Amino acid sequence: MAKPFELHPQLHADCHAMHSLAWCELLLHRNARVPWFILVPRATAGELHELRRDERIGVMDEADTVARFVLTYFGCQRVNRGTIGNRVPQLHVHVVGRWPGDPCWPDVVWGRLEAGSVYEPARLTSIAAALGRHLG
Amino acid sequence: MAKPFELHPQLHADCHAMHSLAWCELLLHRNARVPWFILVPRATAGELHELRRDERIGVMDEADTVARFVLTYFGCQRVNRGTIGNRVPQLHVHVVGRWPGDPCWPDVVWGRLEAGSVYEPARLTSIAAALGRHLG
């Protein structure tokens, strides 16, 4: 019997759960300074190239969908994507909305984004609802 | 008539040309502290989600191939991938070999990797030859 999917405790601590997509759990980082989504494939692979090809294609389709949402809903100008895993070994894909003048621009957010900004509950509810509409 | 592909001058300055793949130009960053490959799709899209789906799948297949090479040839333990584009707008995908104890571990390399280490010409020739064999 396959082991049930479990989110890494660090991702659980750092993020709000947003949606269960076909291939991934979609999270939103608690730091509200930039819209920072994280897709966690429900797979045992630790790296993108270890996914089955159909899994990887599905995960990347979902990352594209989230990227479009970040641009349209938050009005960002760029999307930064990263799959790093140096601190949290569970495979996860960052999709981060960026704009010139944001708190880290033009540097990356990883390891550089100051804490201290959080989402109000009502804001989270709005984002989740808009995401739901975007996802169809 | 489509405009011929032109590499962004910053990528040209920062990298060695390695191989022309089916979808991408494959570059190796001149900083030799970690094996840092960059794939540049021959497309006009500025973001991954702007690629046609078959293009994106092809680009990701090639990134997977390069990731496996980084692990086997350089003996790295992790692969960091990123598509950022905050400084260089031409779409490009970073595939970086990492290991605990490397010069930036566990931080990302972007904006943090000290300069001052370069590849000897003979080393570049060996890497290109091994890549050629890996690519088949």
Side-chain angles (χ1 to χ4, degrees):
Chain A
M1 204 176 81
K3 205 178 156 202
F5 175 78
E6 271 185 51
L7 193 63
H8 189 282
Q10 191 66 52
L11 293 173
H12 185 73
D14 289 347
C15 299
H16 302 283
M18 282 276 125
H19 277 273
S20 281
L21 308 176
W23 296 95
C24 298
E25 293 300 314
L26 178 58
L27 314 176
L28 176 64
H29 200 290
R30 291 182 188 275
N31 191 324
R33 291 193 193 277
V34 297
W36 180 340
F37 288 90
I38 297 179
L39 296 99
V40 187
R42 286 185 296 277
T44 53
E47 300 260 15
L48 279 179
H49 69 271
E50 292 171 354
L51 291 171
R52 291 194 324 261
R53 190 164 180 267
D54 65 312
E55 285 177 332
R56 192 210 68 204
I57 291 171
V59 169
M60 290 292 116
D61 284 344
E62 292 183 347
D64 280 4
T65 301
V66 172
R68 289 187 192 100
F69 178 72
V70 161
L71 293 170
T72 56
Y73 184 76
F74 294 92
C76 295
Q77 290 181 39
R78 297 283 310 176
V79 178
N80 289 183
R81 295 208 208 179
T83 311
I84 301 163
N86 302 349
R87 296 177 194 270
V88 174
Q90 184 174 51
L91 178 60
H92 58 290
V93 180
H94 302 268
V95 176
V96 188
R98 304 299 308 274
W99 63 96
D102 76 28
C104 290
W105 188 268
D107 289 317
V108 298
V109 294
W110 303 291
R112 292 183 182 267
L113 193 61
E114 209 184 320
S117 176
V118 297
Y119 292 100
E120 294 299 323
R123 175 76 170 138
L124 280 177
T125 306
S126 302
I127 296 170
L131 246 179
R133 290 191 297 274
H134 180 80
L135 296 167
Chain B
M1 202 174 82
K3 203 176 158 205
F5 175 78
E6 271 185 51
L7 192 62
H8 189 283
Q10 191 65 51
L11 293 173
H12 185 75
D14 289 346
C15 299
H16 303 283
M18 281 277 125
H19 277 273
S20 281
L21 309 176
W23 297 95
C24 298
E25 293 300 315
L26 178 59
L27 314 175
L28 176 64
H29 199 289
R30 290 181 190 277
N31 191 324
R33 290 193 195 278
V34 297
W36 180 341
F37 288 91
I38 297 179
L39 296 99
V40 188
R42 286 186 296 277
T44 54
E47 300 260 16
L48 278 179
H49 68 271
E50 293 171 354
L51 291 171
R52 292 195 324 261
R53 190 164 180 267
D54 65 311
E55 284 178 331
R56 193 211 66 205
I57 291 170
V59 169
M60 290 293 115
D61 283 344
E62 292 182 349
D64 280 3
T65 301
V66 173
R68 289 187 192 100
F69 178 72
V70 161
L71 293 171
T72 55
Y73 184 75
F74 293 91
C76 295
Q77 290 180 40
R78 297 284 308 179
V79 179
N80 288 182
R81 295 209 209 179
T83 311
I84 301 164
N86 302 350
R87 296 177 193 271
V88 174
Q90 183 173 52
L91 178 61
H92 59 289
V93 180
H94 301 269
V95 176
V96 188
R98 305 298 309 274
W99 61 96
D102 76 28
C104 289
W105 189 267
D107 288 317
V108 298
V109 295
W110 303 291
R112 291 183 182 267
L113 193 62
E114 208 183 321
S117 175
V118 297
Y119 292 100
E120 294 298 323
R123 174 77 170 139
L124 280 177
T125 306
S126 302
I127 295 170
L131 246 178
R133 289 191 297 275
H134 180 80
L135 296 166

